[in-house]
Amino acid sequence: MAKTIAGSEKSIAHPNGNERQHAVREERPEGHIPDFEAIEESAGFRELMRKKKAFLIPTTVLFLGLYLLFNVIISYTNLLDASFIGDISWVWVFAFGLFAMTWILVTVYMKRAAKFDEMARETLVEFNYDKEENR
């Protein structure tokens, strides 16, 4: 006999403004795939996606913009040829700055990703689906 997990009804706000009752988990067999459409329509998931986009889009633009700017500057101008200290030119400072930026962005993303993972876990728990029951 298959083990089942009881659920409840939740009111889900749809993006078009309509609210509907959705049975999150009436009775489902253990290991059953969650209702991804209901999860996608939930406020928790939408908030998670909003926060991820608010972080990832500007960060990606900054990262790619500076890397592309570096290539354009060194290819078409002499701006970075000036001496910074002794024989070290500004091009070296900019290049090492790109490495520093990459490590900083990775570190910041790792800290943010932990928060994003927690928000995702909370959304799945809201729908009575978590990794504990699939072991």
Side-chain angles (χ1 to χ4, degrees):
M1 180 186 242
K3 180 179 171 185
T4 60
I5 298 172
S8 62
E9 293 229 343
K10 290 195 179 208
S11 178
I12 304 294
H14 196 272
N16 67 9
N18 297 336
E19 194 169 290
R20 65 180 179 152
Q21 290 293 320
H22 177 75
V24 175
R25 302 239 183 250
E26 279 299 317
E27 291 285 325
R28 68 170 175 78
E30 184 177 324
H32 178 36
I33 297 173
D35 184 355
F36 291 112
E37 289 178 2
I39 292 171
E40 185 178 5
E41 293 173 359
S42 72
F45 182 79
R46 286 193 312 253
E47 178 69 10
L48 167 64
M49 294 309 296
R50 186 188 67 75
K51 286 186 176 187
K52 279 182 81 169
K53 287 178 185 176
F55 174 74
L56 291 175
I57 291 172
T59 305
T60 303
V61 169
L62 172 71
F63 178 81
L64 292 175
L66 287 174
Y67 268 93
L68 292 173
L69 178 66
F70 178 69
N71 290 305
V72 168
I73 289 175
I74 64 172
S75 296
Y76 299 107
T77 71
N78 294 328
L79 291 175
L80 300 178
D81 288 343
S83 177
F84 174 67
I85 297 174
D87 289 336
I88 300 172
S89 67
W90 280 100
V91 80
W92 286 101
V93 175
F94 196 119
F96 283 116
L98 292 176
F99 282 105
M101 176 197 62
T102 302
W103 282 102
I104 291 167
L105 290 179
V106 166
T107 303
V108 171
Y109 177 75
M110 287 173 37
K111 292 184 184 303
R112 289 281 179 98
K115 293 176 185 175
F116 297 149
D117 289 345
E118 181 61 26
M119 291 175 70
R121 190 194 63 74
E122 289 170 2
T123 300
L124 289 174
V125 167
E126 176 183 337
F127 285 85
N128 298 324
Y129 182 84
D130 61 0
K131 62 184 174 197
E132 293 297 321
E133 65 192 44
N134 288 326
R135 289 185 181 172

